[in-house]
Amino acid sequence: MEFFVKSGSPEKQKTGCLIVGVFESRKLSAQAQQIDDISEGYISSIVRRGDMEGKFGQTLLLHSVPNTNCERVLLVGLGKEREFDASKYKKVCSKVIKMLHETGSTDAISCLALLNVKGQDLYWKVRSAVEAANDSLYLFEELKSKKSETRRPLRKITLFIESRSELTQGEQAIEHALAISSGQSLTKDLANLPGNICHPTYLAQRAEQLAQTYNNFNAHILDESELKAMGAGAFVSVSQGSDQPGKLICMEYMAGQQDEKPVVFVGKGVTFDTGGISIKPSASMDEMKFDMGGAASVFGVMKAVAEMKLPINVIGVVAAAENMPSGNASRPGDVVTSLSGQTIEILNTDAEGRLVLCDALTYIEKYDPDIVIDVATLTGAIIIALGHEASGMMSNHNGLANEIESAAEATHDRVWRMPIWDEYHQALKSNVADFTNLGGRAAGSITAACFLSKFTKKYRWAHLDIAGTAWNSGAKKGATGRPVPLLSQILLNRVNKV
Ligand code: BES
Ligand code: MN
Ligand code: ZN
């Protein structure tokens, strides 16, 4: 799909479909009014008949509207004008794209970016429209023997903007959106792939591919024997149970100043989580192929930043391992020594994410990071706490937490901060080792973050628990590509600040 921005009079354009909004109740947007004027009241007559109330999400496709050059006009309901906000705007954009695909239009002009969206500027409106379109057009068909037959004639979407002076801003917004969408699609692809295909070695190959594709991009892989020799006992305690060798995958995108400290992302890359000896129940266990969703989002943001060619230093480290029960697997009660030297009593082998992450979090000290953000499908408890809207966020630094919250707000890829107070650390007490890997039922997401915080004292750090936001279950089972928009926005905000 190609996207363009254009200024001028949308009603005079030749196009397959012109998209204009109608507010509740029956209030034409300025662009719908223009079409109404040139068509001598055709739109208002239809609205008067009761076919378009302007209710949020309602659509009506019209053909041969008098005196226009467009083959179709798509009226879309926007709901109450004073309630039209960022989230409604994005939903309308996705809805319209899906509808257009079912028409015969090969190109379309959207007037939606001309609407007033509470608190948002033109750049935001264009970027969000393009990202919403790509997000809703995504298909995962890699593993189907026959690709879907849906005729997809729609090739080109032009977003109308107020004036020529906004063109540069609009074009920049499209460029950024395409980069972020391509990162997000990579995240979805990797996360949707099953455990028998997407194992640690596969992820390592994909990292090397990115390094070959982009400038200023390096990949460096540590294999399980190196990790063992190095002393990453927590990581190895998980990967040793699998025939698939674990990998620590380091991607380095260095396009900033040489002396600029990097942003470091660390992703949980458990390519399948059976729970190990503390084995999971069978129901929905297939969804544990998504347990590398954090890693997939690190791949996604690395691709996005390289596509945008942002002048910044970013490191993406993925702790890739498979959690299996076997004769080599760790037992409940085993004590291991982490790369940091701290000892851990493994009380539950299903709390494996924190074990692979803690060694990665120690390893990345060598990059002398400015900030570190780890991304992990870490706890089922975060779904109980926050559902599927917000990712959980814990941090040891208020400035960083604020930085993440404002990027989350801007992209609507939202987070909610939770505490990691000292009192919560009690839950990890061990009688035999420095601490355990298991906090008990209460505040499970917080005690998991407390565990990680014992390895992140040397830098500014935040943890994102994405177990509730990385994928959808049920009929729409599949990866969401979150939090790639959020992570990309953090980088964009940093670049724009200097
Ligand atoms: N990958 C899971 C977390 C998870 C579970 C994500 C269900 C999404 C849905 C993680 O490795 C895990 O098993 N966590 C345990 C931790 C517990 C043993 C302390 C959990 O959440 O039950
Ligand atoms: Mn687990
Ligand atoms: Zn897991």
Side-chain angles (χ1 to χ4, degrees), residues 164-204:
R164 290 180 65 93
S165 64
E166 292 175 330
L167 278 177
T168 330
Q169 217 189 340
E171 275 155 12
Q172 170 96 98
I174 291 178
E175 244 176 68
H176 286 168
L178 291 176
I180 293 166
S181 293
S182 80
Q184 200 172 353
S185 294
L186 171 62
T187 299
K188 290 181 192 175
D189 285 346
L190 292 175
N192 284 330
L193 283 170
N196 65 326
I197 296 173
C198 181
H199 40 58
T201 307
Y202 177 84
L203 286 178

Side-chain angles (χ1 to χ4, degrees), residues 268 273 280 288 291 350 352 377-380 438 467 471:
K268 170 177 173 183
D273 181 12
K280 287 184 180 293
M288 283 300 113
D291 210 18
D350 197 11
E352 85 297 340
T377 51
L378 203 62
T379 65
L438 184 64
W471 74 90

Side-chain angles (χ1 to χ4, degrees), residues 20 85 117 211 336 343 393 414-415 484:
V20 292
D85 60 4
V117 184
V336 297
T343 59
M393 190 248 289
R414 289 183 291 187
V415 301
V484 171

